Amino acid sequence: MDTLLQGFMQIANVSTIVWMAIGSIVGIILGALPGLTATMGIALMMPISFRLPTATGIGLLLAVYCGAVSGASIPAILIGIPGNPNAIVTVEDGLRMTKKGKAGQAIGGAVVASFIGGIGSMLALMLFSPLIAKFTLAFGPAEKATLALVGLAIIASVSGDNIWKGLLMGAFGMCLAFLGTDPFSNQLRIPFSKYLATTPLSKGLDLTSTLIGLFGVSEVFIGLKKSFVGGQHVEPVKIDHIFPPFKKILSMWKIILSSLGIGILIGAIPGTGASIAVFMAYNMAKNIAEHSNGKLEKLGTGALEGVFAPEVANNAVTGGALIPTLALGIPGDSSTAVLLGALIIKGVTPGFQLFTTNMSLVYAIFITLLIANIFMALFQLLGVRLYPKVLEVPQQILLPLVLILSFVGAYAVAGQATAVGIYNLGIALVMGLIGYFLKRDGYPIAPIVLGLILGGMFEENFRRAVKLAGGNYLTFFTKPICLLFMALAILSIILPIIAKKRGKR
Amino acid sequence: MKRSAIILSLLIALIVSGTFSAKAVAEAIYPDPEKNITIVVPHAAGGGTDLIFRKLAEEMKKVSGVNFLVTNITGAGSATGTNEVINNEADGYMLLAAGTHTTAATMQGLTDGYKKLDYIAALNWDPFIVAVRKDKPWTSLQELVADAKSRPGKISLGNAGMGGATGVASVGLNLAFGKVFNVVPFNGGADLIASVLGGHCDVGIFSQSEVVANINSFRPLVILSEDHSPLASLASVPTLDEAGYPEITVPGGSFRSLMVKKGTPEVAKKWLADTAEKAFYSASFQKFMKDNGLIPAFYKLEAFAEYDKGIIADYEVILKEAGLYKMTN
């Protein structure tokens, strides 16, 4: 209790509160701008945090982190462009809600979901850190490879009506993931390698630029076409029911709990991340909704459930990723890697010892995480009535704006590496064209993203696992977690097909 | 028509000469107090390399009054950031946070690297430590090597990535011990620690801070430097010499330095080297190095170029042996 009080004293001052408020606002803005990621926001604020007391500095960075993860849902819901990869899945139902005129409710729901995810994962961090940290260590290369396999199997549920089109797109995404350099030998693995060797393409496609192209630029082309064939009818935005009714939230308890669990665990496993967690949470929620006897809306139709699942999960990743960061000194994702650096430069050594020697700082970090989530919800809700006004902007102004934002985002991903930035612009444009033609002909986009994110993770960990086993490919069948995951992956491909066949009869 | 062409060419000549003379002026008053000097760190913010240069930048700013900025440009090992410096002006306003990562990336053909860079200042070494999980049977390096020799290829030795300094060190060690280990590259230090802690990989090669963070779970076997660690908690870890292998030398650490694009004016290089020297010997930076277990190795300009020849020679042997050497000329 004494240490808790000491921890509280470290942050009970005006400067901490003010810096965290600033961090929260900066985070939300950065998160909402396509291409600017949470990691970038934290790196940007790091020099400031060095000049502040340790707990205050960490509080500032956590505020940016939570704000950015949550802010990304705003453009995902309103215009179908995820602010960063964390919000890819939020597009699925969020954008459909907007098209039904329920943008306010979608954003309000996303904020509530983010808050639940953030607070839930903070509690897990406070109560079960050592336990979860130990559990995640059971995930070696073999386990991670099969986890990626489970993720890839989700393609079946995000494929829309045609599972074969989905699988095709997933394979396309995986092909894209393999472009670049071999992760083991640094050998080039691209077509025309003689000419492309010295270009940024030699390190593969930049994920964020590809997403901006597939989601953002392609929408501009679609909008452009619609404006030629005739005016697009957009439902007027109603901003009354911003908060989802409490009863509705309660009815989704299964979805909330499963998303929370997935977010915390995936966040805690180093080398994974929010972009994987959101897909898994969405998939789980889809199954839950289908077996709810009509109590829950079907996902993929513009359901609040479909916004809740990924938004709970991606904010649950924040607390989850902090677990190995604090308990083991191993960052759970790229954002917490920067946080870890900020702690080290302050002379704090994260890891097991932190919990025994400097518990007051650990408590201070927990409390700042709580404040970060409260600020995030507060500032988001202040804006909820404001954001949907974007949709009232006429198409001829909105489309160029979206295009500009997309290009600025793709360029900015590279930071100050201007040459890389130019190449990213090219990637965004080409992917935009590909995305346009695919969407036009009814091919789902989400499987490409899954393939792109998980393809690399699968390949690398698969090869590493085989290398560790001295070349024995059967190593995957000797580990219980791997067997479980492989069974899960097979089931999640087969079950929807069987269900569909039964439905037809 | 002809006249306008002449006027046009005159105009072009004027503009070109104008920029040249502007440049000449800029050189004369280096460093321009209005300009920032950027240090490009080719690794992620918050990592070991990044923190050293952020601290150094702060001190360089203090001793010179000129604004030093740190920018992280990551990708392709360290090649993306290195290329960014090489593709910019050789005007002395952009420095590269260089080191063993630059040597490795250059030899792997990922960048023209040190062939197109000039030497400013060598800074320090962060020596690597070979460690295992505490419940593993090996209590010394000799026991580990003996076991590995009795069943070659069965004990895995993990590094944080083939192209980086831990990769080179692990390949070097494996060569020295007759290739009895199964060298496995991981995706960065965090991935490696988790795998060794989780028992998926037997032996790991780590930086000191990584071992300190998990000192209760790790058993450090050897430090790959000539002297003991400056850190109290690792001071008792034996050197290769003490561990019974005085004949073995491997480049066992990550080395950090400052470099600029080749062709940078001598005035600028000298000013930067002197400023780096002052910052390096400041009480604050010295304390930072001591607190983080960094071993000082300051050399500037020609002396640094001479020092780097030794590192290049060591690396060449190992990278060629590992099949990673792709440098064409």
Side-chain angles (χ1 to χ4, degrees):
Chain A
M1 210 57 216
D2 236 21
T3 42
L4 180 62
L5 201 68
Q6 278 171 14
F8 187 72
M9 294 307 285
Q10 287 187 42
I11 49 163
N13 51 58
V14 181
S15 116
T16 305
I17 301 299
V18 170
W19 277 113
M20 285 191 67
I22 294 173
S24 194
I25 295 171
V26 169
I28 293 171
I29 294 173
L30 288 181
L33 291 171
L36 301 177
T37 59
T39 312
M40 205 182 283
I42 300 174
L44 212 67
M45 287 303 206
M46 201 160 80
I48 300 176
S49 80
F50 291 162
R51 287 166 207 289
L52 301 171
T54 308
T56 308
I58 297 299
L60 166 67
L61 299 183
L62 284 175
V64 177
Y65 186 24
C66 294
V69 171
S70 148
S73 61
I74 303 168
I77 291 167
L78 291 178
I79 46 179
I81 306 171
N84 54 49
N86 302 339
I88 316 167
V89 183
T90 314
V91 174
E92 292 280 318
D93 283 76
L95 188 61
R96 287 194 177 94
M97 282 183 83
T98 298
K99 290 198 170 141
K100 286 196 212 162
K102 293 202 255 175
Q105 205 188 357
I107 294 180
V111 175
V112 175
S114 299
F115 186 69
I116 295 174
I119 297 295
S121 70
M122 185 211 77
L123 288 175
L125 172 69
M126 271 180 82
L127 301 173
F128 308 117
S129 260
L131 205 70
I132 296 178
K134 214 168 243 169
F135 174 73
T136 59
L137 288 180
F139 282 74
E143 286 81 2
K144 280 190 212 164
T146 44
L147 177 69
L149 212 57
V150 175
L152 286 168
I154 291 172
I155 287 173
S157 83
V158 290
S159 294
D161 312 323
N162 192 331
I163 193 168
W164 303 111
K165 278 186 177 176
L167 289 175
L168 189 67
M169 289 298 100
F172 175 57
M174 283 185 86
C175 292
L176 293 181
F178 297 148
L179 288 176
T181 42
D182 183 297
F184 275 35
S185 66
N186 282 332
Q187 292 269 24
L188 280 177
R189 238 175 20 186
I190 39 172
F192 315 111
S193 57
K194 209 173 147 194
Y195 306 100
L196 296 178
T198 51
T199 67
L201 283 179
S202 61
K203 61 165 183 159
L205 296 179
D206 175 69
L207 175 67
T208 312
S209 314
T210 310
L211 291 183
I212 287 175
L214 285 175
F215 286 94
V217 180
S218 70
E219 282 296 320
V220 174
F221 290 135
I222 290 171
L224 208 61
K225 194 187 168 200
K226 278 188 184 145
S227 68
F228 281 128
V229 280
Q232 181 193 11
H233 177 70
V234 180
E235 288 282 331
V237 182
K238 286 169 256 154
I239 42 171
D240 31 343
H241 306 291
I242 280 179
F243 282 112
F246 193 63
K247 240 172 112 183
K248 173 88 184 163
I249 298 179
L250 271 187
S251 74
M252 291 191 286
W253 67 273
K254 270 188 193 165
I255 291 180
I256 292 173
L257 278 186
S258 69
S259 304
L260 196 59
I262 290 171
I264 293 168
L265 282 184
I266 299 285
I269 300 173
T272 55
S275 43
I276 300 169
V278 289
F279 274 108
M280 294 197 151
Y282 187 83
N283 184 46
M284 190 71 121
K286 194 164 185 170
N287 285 333
I288 294 173
E290 262 163 29
H291 296 102
S292 69
N293 298 323
K295 275 185 209 141
L296 297 171
E297 274 180 75
K298 218 172 159 238
L299 270 74
T301 57
L304 187 64
E305 286 83 348
V307 173
F308 245 73
E311 284 305 310
V312 169
N314 64 21
N315 282 274
V317 166
T318 57
L322 278 170
I323 292 173
T325 313
L326 295 177
L328 303 170
I330 305 170
D333 63 1
S334 54
S335 301
T336 42
V338 185
L339 269 170
L340 185 69
L343 277 172
I344 290 174
I345 209 161
K346 281 287 184 188
V348 179
T349 308
F352 177 73
Q353 283 181 321
L354 188 64
F355 283 79
T356 50
T357 57
N358 203 348
M359 202 55 206
S360 61
L361 178 68
V362 176
Y363 279 127
I365 293 173
F366 293 159
I367 301 168
T368 51
L369 191 59
L370 176 72
I371 301 175
N373 275 294
I374 293 172
F375 275 167
M376 176 272 293
L378 199 71
F379 291 123
Q380 280 272 56
L381 287 176
L382 286 179
V384 166
R385 280 164 199 283
L386 215 66
Y387 305 137
K389 295 236 185 291
V390 171
L391 297 174
E392 288 164 21
V393 176
Q395 286 274 320
Q396 58 266 43
I397 296 174
L398 188 61
L399 285 183
L401 268 179
V402 170
L403 195 63
I404 290 171
L405 273 181
S406 298
F407 282 154
V408 168
Y411 187 78
V413 173
Q416 291 196 6
T418 47
V420 181
I422 303 277
Y423 273 89
N424 286 347
L425 284 182
I427 293 174
L429 191 62
V430 171
M431 285 299 154
L433 281 171
I434 293 176
Y436 165 71
F437 288 115
L438 291 175
K439 279 181 184 170
R440 192 191 66 182
D441 296 337
Y443 286 89
I445 298 294
I448 304 182
V449 180
L450 260 180
L452 186 61
I453 294 172
L454 294 173
M457 177 179 159
F458 175 73
E459 183 216 348
E460 220 180 280
N461 284 297
F462 180 83
R463 288 173 62 183
R464 192 170 292 132
V466 172
K467 182 96 174 53
L468 276 174
N472 184 2
Y473 285 89
L474 294 177
T475 174
F476 299 98
F477 295 95
T478 60
K479 298 176 196 295
I481 298 181
C482 294
L483 285 171
L484 178 77
F485 280 164
M486 283 188 281
L488 261 177
I490 294 168
L491 281 180
S492 49
I493 292 266
I494 291 179
L495 285 182
I497 298 179
I498 295 176
K500 221 173 192 178
K501 286 211 168 136
R502 268 195 198 154
K504 270 181 192 165
R505 265 178 212 162
Chain B
M1 189 63 204
K2 221 172 189 179
R3 196 193 280 172
S4 58
I6 291 169
I7 291 173
L8 196 68
S9 62
L10 275 178
L11 259 174
I12 291 170
L14 201 71
I15 292 165
V16 171
S17 61
T19 39
F20 271 121
S21 54
K23 215 173 180 182
V25 172
E27 275 165 20
I29 53 160
Y30 184 90
D32 185 344
E34 299 284 305
K35 276 187 167 175
N36 296 323
I37 299 179
T38 306
I39 299 179
V40 173
V41 174
H43 294 295
T49 307
D50 179 65
L51 297 182
I52 292 171
F53 284 97
R54 281 183 191 266
K55 185 72 194 170
L56 186 75
E58 207 174 289
E59 293 306 318
M60 286 176 86
K61 194 171 165 178
K62 255 185 225 161
V63 298
S64 69
V66 177
N67 198 19
F68 281 84
L69 295 176
V70 171
T71 308
N72 303 87
I73 300 181
T74 60
S78 63
T80 309
T82 309
N83 285 334
E84 194 65 26
V85 174
I86 292 174
N87 294 333
N88 255 284
E89 293 285 311
D91 57 4
Y93 289 97
M94 194 183 253
L95 288 152
L96 176 69
T100 34
H101 50 267
T102 318
T103 317
T106 311
M107 287 184 182
Q108 289 175 71
L110 300 171
T111 166
D112 284 332
Y114 60 75
K115 291 181 283 180
K116 294 217 172 138
L117 294 166
D118 271 343
Y119 295 94
I120 299 296
L123 301 170
N124 50 44
W125 283 90
D126 188 358
F128 294 141
I129 285 184
V130 176
V132 297
R133 201 169 70 174
K134 257 209 176 113
D135 58 356
K136 295 277 178 189
W138 317 291
T139 56
S140 70
L141 186 62
Q142 281 193 328
E143 282 178 34
L144 175 68
V145 173
D147 194 7
K149 283 193 169 151
S150 72
R151 44 187 186 123
K154 292 291 176 213
I155 297 177
S156 47
L157 168 62
N159 61 51
M162 250 344 169
T166 58
V168 175
S170 61
V171 171
L173 267 186
N174 199 30
L175 279 181
F177 293 127
K179 299 192 200 172
V180 289
F181 290 101
N182 176 16
V183 176
V184 181
F186 283 80
N187 187 9
D191 192 19
L192 174 63
I193 306 170
S195 292
V196 173
L197 282 180
H200 310 283
C201 180
D202 300 315
V203 189
I205 186 155
F206 302 103
S207 67
Q208 297 178 91
S209 64
E210 290 169 339
V211 179
V212 171
N214 292 285
I215 197 76
N216 291 51
S217 321
F218 277 147
R219 179 185 298 133
L221 297 180
V222 65
I223 183 164
L224 302 178
S225 63
E226 284 167 17
D227 302 303
H228 285 180
S229 168
L231 296 175
S233 55
L234 296 175
S236 60
V237 180
T239 62
L240 268 174
D241 202 344
E242 292 164 346
Y245 299 95
E247 73 285 359
I248 292 177
T249 50
V250 285
S254 40
F255 162 73
R256 277 89 173 206
S257 65
L258 280 174
M259 293 177 96
V260 289
K261 186 180 178 180
K262 220 173 200 110
T264 300
E266 291 299 322
V267 194
K269 286 201 294 195
K270 189 169 181 318
W271 185 89
L272 287 169
D274 292 342
T275 309
E277 188 171 22
K278 276 182 224 153
F280 182 88
Y281 287 110
S282 68
S284 165
F285 193 74
Q286 289 289 322
K287 181 177 181 305
F288 174 84
M289 287 199 295
K290 197 158 175 273
D291 289 348
N292 289 283
L294 302 170
I295 295 167
F298 191 86
Y299 298 93
K300 60 179 187 181
L301 305 169
E302 291 85 23
F304 172 24
E306 207 51 47
Y307 183 71
D308 201 43
K309 275 184 192 155
I311 297 175
I312 290 174
D314 283 346
Y315 261 51
E316 218 164 50
V317 182
I318 297 171
L319 271 104
K320 275 183 178 157
E321 181 61 39
L324 289 169
Y325 194 89
K326 303 271 155 54
M327 215 159 91
T328 41
N329 50 344

